[in-house]
Amino acid sequence: FPPLIAHFTARLVTGRGGPVRCGAALGLLAALQLLTSEEVLFNTAVAIAVGLAVAGVSRLGFARQRASASVRARGAGLAAGAMTAAGCFLLLAGYPLWTQFAGPLTQHGDPLFVDYFKNDLEGFIQPSRLQLVHTAGSAAFADRFQQGLAEYLGYLGWPLLVALALTAVTMWRMLAVRMLAVTFLVLEVFSLGGTLLVGGHVYA
């Protein structure tokens, strides 16, 4: 659901779709994603918020040149869409959320350490044995990951990282590239957790 959530958020923010229709679709998709995976919904919301912030800063000068009446109309449509999305979301996910946070089986406290699940900085460039191209050393490094191989999900590799950097630098003038580049960087930093883990060693 994340691509569709991003799609309808963009349509709602830019005014390219009916606010009530887009809001209803957004609320429905967010509720379905919540019932599928709360973690993915949270990550999607963070990514969209960062992307919108970048777009807002980039378009600030352009927005100042627009007529105030148009801005007010856009704001009214956005508010209507947001309220519709919130209403649909609560209608579908309100009771499950209440059950989770106030029901008889509510979890009190965190069953794991707050800073337990996070990427190792070296994990971005060390392929595990699950990758087609890897070395014995990189496979051993991944096997020693503190959350186990199933959570070793940060690997990107030098070729992809270099390609991403070159694309961001050469095409920075494009708004979509700026939004994706900053969002990628923020999410990767967040994935490192509250303390830095490098080569299996924690640096507070």
Side-chain angles (χ1 to χ4, degrees):
F1 299 108
L4 293 175
I5 292 174
H7 169 74
F8 281 103
T9 300
R11 289 182 64 84
L12 182 61
V13 171
T14 58
R16 289 182 293 175
V20 174
R21 184 184 309 166
C22 287
L26 183 58
L28 171 63
L29 291 166
L32 292 175
Q33 183 59 69
L34 176 84
L35 298 175
T36 305
S37 172
E38 290 177 306
E39 180 181 1
V40 173
L41 178 61
F42 177 80
N43 292 339
T44 301
V46 172
I48 290 175
V50 174
L52 290 178
V54 175
V57 172
S58 300
R59 297 298 189 185
L60 187 60
F62 175 74
R64 289 175 177 173
Q65 300 174 2
R66 303 193 64 178
S68 59
S70 176
V71 173
R72 285 196 298 269
R74 179 69 59 80
L78 182 59
M83 288 188 292
T84 303
C88 291
F89 177 79
L90 291 175
L91 181 65
L92 297 172
Y95 181 71
L97 285 174
W98 176 87
T99 301
Q100 178 181 357
F101 292 107
L105 299 179
T106 299
Q107 170 70 39
H108 297 285
D110 195 327
L112 297 171
F113 297 111
V114 175
D115 200 37
Y116 181 73
F117 288 102
K118 61 182 178 182
N119 283 330
D120 189 308
L121 185 62
E122 283 191 34
F124 293 140
I125 58 172
Q126 295 276 18
S128 72
R129 64 180 68 255
L130 301 179
Q131 304 294 324
L132 180 62
V133 179
H134 65 274
T135 65
S138 69
F141 176 89
D143 290 339
R144 294 192 300 269
F145 185 53
Q146 65 181 25
Q147 287 88 40
L149 192 59
E151 292 290 338
Y152 192 77
L153 305 173
Y155 173 71
L156 296 171
W158 280 118
L160 180 57
L161 289 172
V162 171
L164 290 172
L166 289 176
T167 301
V169 171
T170 58
M171 305 179 68
W172 184 256
R173 293 179 62 86
M174 297 178 61
L175 177 59
V177 172
R178 290 199 301 275
M179 292 173 62
L180 292 173
V182 175
T183 301
F184 167 79
L185 182 61
V186 170
L187 292 180
E188 292 302 320
V189 171
F190 283 175
S191 76
L192 297 175
T195 55
L196 186 60
L197 179 64
V198 183
H201 302 286
V202 176
Y203 297 89

